[in-house]
Amino acid sequence: MTKKTIAPDLMYRLLVQGVKDYAIYLLGADGTVLNWNAGAERAKGYKADEIVGLNYECFYSPDDRAKGIPRRNLDLALRNGHLTTEGWRLRKDGTAFWARVALDAIYDEDGTFVGFAKVTRDLTEQRASEQRFQHQARHDALTGLPNRDGLIECLELELPQIAYGSPIAVHHVDLDRFKPINDIYGHQVGDQVLQEVAKRLFAVAGASCVVGRLGGDEFAVLQFGAPGSGSMAAMAKSIVEALSVPIAVGPRLLEIGASVGVACAPGDATDLNELLRCADLALHTAKENGRNGFRFYEAAMGETKLARRLMELKLRHAVAAKDFVLAYQPIVNGQSNRTVGFEALLRWTDQTGQPISPALFVPIAEEMGLMPELGEWVLRTACAQATAWPDDVTVAVNLSPTQLNDPLLFDLVAQVLRETGLPARRLELEITETAILANLGAARETLKRLRGLGISIALDDFGTGFSSLSLVRELPLTRIKIDRSFVSDIDGGSRTTAVIESVVALCRGYGLKTTAEGIETDGQRLGVMMSGCSDLQGYLLGRPQPASQIEWPGTTSVAASIEA
Ligand code: C2E
Ligand code: MG
Ligand code: MG
């Protein structure tokens, strides 16, 4: 085979013409297209005879041409010898593609400027996937909203605007009852709820706001422009209202509700992290104030946090030193008027002699992880105490959510009963819906095993939380305690007696006992008894008192018999 020599000029021409991935061609000094290769034909759709001789301006949009961009790019390439740029260019059929362009000024052997070498690459697909990736990194896949990173980026971009008199409000939104819904109905239902929440927030926020999902059941609405306190309050109120409308998922209507904390830049903070912290503090206060509402950030909220830290410190010491006592409140049978049991209630007095309510410190001890230790002390002390009471009197012990979800709870209770000698039938454990819903499956199993020992299980504060009737049916309960809020309304009208009546009827159907909590007046006692409630508890029947002050018929006090 004879070897054919190719002239260098032809070699270059063949090389350039043959390249298909890059459009490579020459432009005259004024931008006239001088030649054309296969890559250019593929990228732009023109054949060589259609384009050679025309000005390369035709690849630009009318808008870019009107702005003089084609000419300016040539000038830049000439001045600097080289220009790389990216932008939308047009194909022959009018469709646009994203082009990366390199323009080089070229000179002949004498150094005379002759025009430009132009290399263009179609990066439309690459750009789309980059944008998809960027979108994914900054957006939440479930709702399509910006995620925490996306929101922070948006705030970083907008925060400098506050210097020009354009304040920003951050509305930190947290759903009130999302977790139980997720636990009971499963993640699929939970996901649908979150998608609906996103839609509602989007509709409420409108065009001047950005809505994002911070994670879990937390969202944020960034309100730009000039949000005075009036418009901030109106926005927060609309958010709360929009989310208090029940959400329909399949056949279910789910009541979720939300709390909102509002902070504003520059009023509350000018720094990004500080602004988010203020909104978070405001949100916590809104939650503490009973949920389903909104709060603006106030400087005092920081002080509250300080007070809380002090409380944590004192509590840690108190738990280590077992610096608590138990008070016992009688539970009285409505028919016989006999005391059938006592509920053990924690009492704590700090070093200054100030009594602190368990409603305040128990949840804090719970959050600090101190409840297993403190709860074990309560259980042991109450069971030991009850052994001194008549054999038909029970003792009720409250369990915190972490205690109920502790896999060692069963062993602990069995051990305490063994050690104190209290028969299992005399112990009643009080649990709350929140504790059960934290881990429904595990709670059900533990409760079944405890029931197996002969221990009674009461569902406390019924009516304040989720009040799921399916829970009442599903769990091995022996008693429902109807919350004080239903009892305290009795004197005011008959509507609440109707609620108590229906709960009692339901419980009777399942063979459960009922206790009405918080009876303070004769009217309430009568109302509750007419509703058919089996047992009564409240200040009218007896306040919580130290074991030493409990009096039994025929004796002065149990303490006297114990201490004797
Ligand atoms: P709870 O278990 O529902 O206890 C009943 C609460 O209602 C007690 O408040 C009791 O003093 C109060 N109460 C009883 N009758 C009346 C009445 O007629 N009127 C009014 N206004 N209140 C009445 P307390 O002792 O302040 O306890 C509050 C909550 O703290 C308890 O609610 C319980 O959830 C929690 N707690 C108390 N001790 C313990 C404990 O040892 N462990 C756990 N995990 N929680 C406890
Ligand atoms: Mg209780
Ligand atoms: Mg209660």
Side-chain angles (χ1 to χ4, degrees):
M1 207 179 176
T2 49
K3 229 180 177 182
K4 193 173 173 190
T5 45
I6 306 171
D9 274 6
L10 180 61
M11 203 152 62
Y12 282 124
R13 197 146 52 82
L14 289 176
L15 171 70
V16 168
Q17 282 178 347
V19 171
K20 290 210 175 74
D21 282 345
Y22 292 84
I24 304 175
Y25 50 96
L26 294 172
L27 300 178
D30 64 348
T32 305
V33 178
L34 299 179
N35 67 346
W36 202 237
N37 79 337
E41 184 178 327
R42 195 166 114 167
K44 305 195 185 192
Y46 295 97
K47 298 215 172 303
D49 57 356
E50 293 171 318
I51 193 73
V52 171
L54 296 184
N55 194 285
Y56 97 122
E57 279 195 355
C58 63
F59 306 137
Y60 286 79
S61 70
D63 211 27
D64 286 351
R65 270 181 262 159
K67 287 184 196 150
I69 292 178
R71 182 68 250 168
R72 201 192 60 199
N73 282 352
L74 294 182
D75 290 345
L76 282 171
L78 182 58
R79 193 178 326 141
N80 301 324
H82 180 79
L83 172 75
T84 2
T85 180
E86 287 192 13
W88 290 108
R89 299 290 187 269
L90 297 180
R91 299 191 184 96
K92 184 185 162 192
D93 63 6
T95 55
F97 67 100
W98 186 260
R100 177 175 296 159
V101 177
L103 262 177
D104 280 283
I106 45 173
Y107 296 84
D108 67 12
E109 279 142 8
D110 305 329
T112 312
F113 169 64
V114 289
F116 301 92
K118 186 163 180 284
V119 179
T120 302
R121 189 152 195 219
D122 180 348
L123 292 182
T124 314
E125 268 177 35
Q126 188 179 330
R127 178 181 148 92
S129 70
E130 270 172 21
Q131 283 193 327
R132 259 198 308 277
F133 178 73
Q134 279 200 350
H135 189 271
Q136 277 165 6
R138 286 188 172 64
H139 284 76
D140 163 47
L142 179 68
T143 60
L145 295 177
N147 58 16
R148 180 178 283 274
D149 286 349
L151 281 170
I152 285 180
E153 188 181 68
C154 181
L155 268 177
E156 271 170 347
L157 282 173
E158 293 291 332
L159 261 178
Q161 297 299 321
I162 59 176
Y164 304 101
S166 185
I168 300 170
V170 176
H171 300 259
H172 190 164
V173 183
D174 187 280
L175 304 183
D176 289 336
R177 283 175 295 275
F178 178 70
K179 194 169 181 316
I181 302 254
N182 220 16
D183 290 344
I184 294 182
Y185 301 119
H187 289 279
Q188 241 177 343
V189 169
D191 284 356
Q192 288 183 53
V193 167
L194 292 173
Q195 283 167 335
E196 176 61 22
V197 167
K199 260 193 228 153
R200 289 190 188 180
L201 286 176
F202 201 74
V204 165
S208 62
C209 298
V210 170
V211 181
R213 181 174 171 212
L214 290 168
D217 62 348
E218 291 184 40
F219 292 79
V221 175
L222 311 180
Q223 194 181 5
F224 301 114
S229 60
S231 72
M232 290 198 285
M235 173 63 71
K237 189 162 173 274
S238 312
I239 293 172
V240 171
E241 280 172 3
L243 299 181
S244 66
V245 177
I247 293 178
V249 180
R252 304 180 190 96
L253 258 189
L254 306 173
E255 302 220 11
I256 310 286
S259 304
V260 181
V262 191
C264 162
D268 299 326
T270 50
D271 169 81
L272 172 76
N273 290 321
E274 187 60 16
L275 182 63
L276 294 175
R277 195 186 69 87
C278 291
D280 190 47
L281 273 173
L283 172 67
H284 273 94
T285 316
K287 289 246 171 223
E288 278 163 16
N289 289 357
R291 299 165 183 249
N292 207 39
F294 66 90
R295 281 294 298 260
F296 282 107
Y297 168 77
E298 290 161 22
M301 290 172 183
E303 289 158 25
T304 315
K305 195 132 199 192
L306 205 70
R308 153 93 190 220
R309 259 191 231 128
L310 203 68
M311 160 90 86
E312 287 178 358
L313 215 65
K314 290 197 284 190
L315 198 51
R316 204 178 286 283
H317 279 294
V319 171
K322 302 289 175 303
D323 213 356
F324 299 86
V325 288
L326 291 182
Y328 297 89
Q329 185 175 32
I331 296 159
V332 175
N333 180 268
Q335 295 295 320
S336 66
N337 216 18
R338 275 192 57 246
T339 296
V340 290
F342 286 89
E343 176 174 4
L345 294 161
L346 260 170
R347 293 291 174 260
W348 177 39
T349 311
D350 75 2
Q351 297 105 320
T352 61
Q354 181 80 19
I356 299 167
S357 161
L360 192 72
F361 75 77
V362 168
I364 297 178
E366 174 77 357
E367 269 179 49
M368 293 172 69
L370 298 173
M371 265 333 271
E373 191 180 344
L374 183 53
E376 179 175 341
W377 176 84
V378 173
L379 182 71
R380 213 174 275 282
T381 311
C383 288
Q385 182 62 56
T387 54
W389 301 341
D391 190 51
D392 55 352
V393 175
T394 59
V395 64
V397 173
N398 291 284
L399 289 187
S400 76
T402 42
Q403 283 180 279
L404 181 61
N405 290 302
D406 183 349
L408 298 176
L409 176 72
F410 175 84
D411 296 339
L412 172 72
V413 175
Q415 186 195 358
V416 167
L417 290 179
R418 252 195 329 271
E419 284 173 13
T420 57
L422 185 76
R425 63 178 161 79
R426 292 186 56 201
L427 175 63
E428 182 167 74
L429 296 174
E430 294 194 6
I431 54 172
T432 58
E433 282 173 305
T434 335
I436 298 163
L437 295 176
N439 189 346
L440 184 58
R444 196 193 289 120
E445 278 318 298
T446 308
L447 293 179
K448 266 193 202 149
R449 292 180 70 201
L450 289 167
R451 282 288 299 125
L453 281 183
I455 292 165
S456 305
I457 310 287
L459 184 59
D460 205 353
D461 306 335
F462 189 76
T464 51
F466 201 60
S467 303
S468 158
L469 297 180
S470 62
L471 270 188
V472 173
R473 203 174 43 228
E474 237 187 88
L475 292 170
L477 302 173
T478 50
R479 182 189 294 275
I480 298 286
K481 297 188 77 175
I482 301 165
D483 190 67
R484 197 175 79 215
S485 53
F486 293 98
V487 174
S488 61
D489 275 357
I490 285 183
D491 288 336
S494 60
R495 220 177 130 242
T496 30
T497 343
V499 175
I500 297 178
E501 273 164 29
S502 55
V503 173
V504 169
L506 172 96
C507 290
R508 207 173 274 146
Y510 292 124
L512 303 177
K513 292 184 197 161
T514 42
T515 304
E517 301 186 274
I519 297 172
E520 293 180 350
T521 67
D522 279 321
Q524 289 167 351
R525 174 194 177 116
L526 205 66
V528 161
M529 284 181 63
M530 303 268 281
S531 307
C533 209
S534 49
D535 298 308
L536 318 172
Q537 184 179 2
Y539 293 167
L540 183 74
L541 303 129
R543 290 193 171 250
Q545 55 196 313
S548 57
Q549 283 171 22
I550 298 175
E551 289 186 10
W552 303 99
T555 63
T556 41
S557 78
V558 174
S561 63
I562 301 168
E563 282 156 14

